[in-house]
Amino acid sequence: MRAAALLLALAAGSLSGCGLQPVYAGGGNGAVASGLSDIAVAPIEGQSGWLMRDALIERLGAGADRGGAARYRLDVRLDNRLEGLGLLKDDTIGRERRTLRARYRLVDIASGEVVLDTTSGSDAGVDVVSSEYATIAAEQSALENLTQVVADRIVATLALKLRGGRGAATR
């Protein structure tokens, strides 16, 4: 019993010295949260672009929709594809895959320097059913869900970059 307690104490002590720190330390007033709110999201083309921009603005905070007062600009290009996968006996498509890929760049507005240039994406399967309306609704739902997933990934990458990665975009 004492050996287990001693082992637990040693493990806890070693974890505190490992250098792990929360990304959002300081909450809404922390460096990452204020850095994210200093990012303006440029308009993105198409319906998927509108959905993505809205999701990014929601996640980045109040400053993301302002034009000239931001420190950074986020430029996003989307590749939204819907392709048939499985053929049924009657040569109709039975399954589709919706893929959403984003190439995005974080640009320092003052200097024009590209601080981050990377990609993110996700995909989802859609069953093609006898009701055309149901299939269209499923395709639309897949796009909306993928937009949320990719927006989360983009913001997580931006937060890590603003936290202090290589060539960090810190205040």
Side-chain angles (χ1 to χ4, degrees):
M1 182 81 140
R2 287 184 184 195
L6 180 62
L7 188 58
L8 182 61
L10 287 173
S14 66
L15 282 177
S16 65
C18 72
L20 291 177
Q21 299 173 352
V23 172
Y24 292 104
N29 297 325
V32 172
S34 62
L36 289 175
S37 68
D38 276 346
I39 299 173
V41 182
I44 309 169
E45 187 177 313
Q47 178 197 16
S48 58
W50 178 83
L51 289 168
M52 179 62 72
R53 185 170 190 268
D54 191 50
L56 288 169
I57 288 170
E58 180 182 315
R59 285 160 176 76
L60 292 173
D65 200 19
R66 63 183 177 191
R71 180 172 180 196
Y72 303 102
R73 182 184 72 244
L74 183 64
D75 297 325
V76 182
R77 278 195 341 239
L78 295 176
D79 181 20
N80 175 24
R81 295 178 189 232
L82 185 64
E83 56 189 345
L85 289 178
L87 286 178
L88 302 176
K89 290 180 183 178
D90 61 354
D91 286 336
T92 60
I93 294 174
R95 187 120 173 108
E96 295 174 330
R97 179 170 57 187
R98 174 149 243 158
T99 306
L100 185 64
R101 301 276 181 255
R103 174 158 187 222
Y104 56 100
R105 297 175 357 149
L106 184 65
V107 179
D108 186 317
I109 294 173
S111 68
E113 175 190 357
V114 175
V115 177
L116 178 68
D117 185 350
T118 191
T119 61
S120 185
S122 191
D123 59 83
V126 177
D127 285 327
V128 177
V129 295
S130 60
S131 168
E132 188 174 334
Y133 174 78
T135 301
I136 292 170
E139 292 169 354
Q140 182 64 28
S141 292
L143 175 60
E144 292 168 5
N145 293 336
L146 288 173
T147 300
Q148 300 297 316
V149 169
V150 175
D152 285 341
R153 290 178 180 176
I154 290 172
V155 172
T157 302
L158 293 172
L160 289 173
K161 184 65 177 179
L162 293 172
R163 181 172 170 239
R166 284 179 275 123
T170 56
R171 295 180 155 246

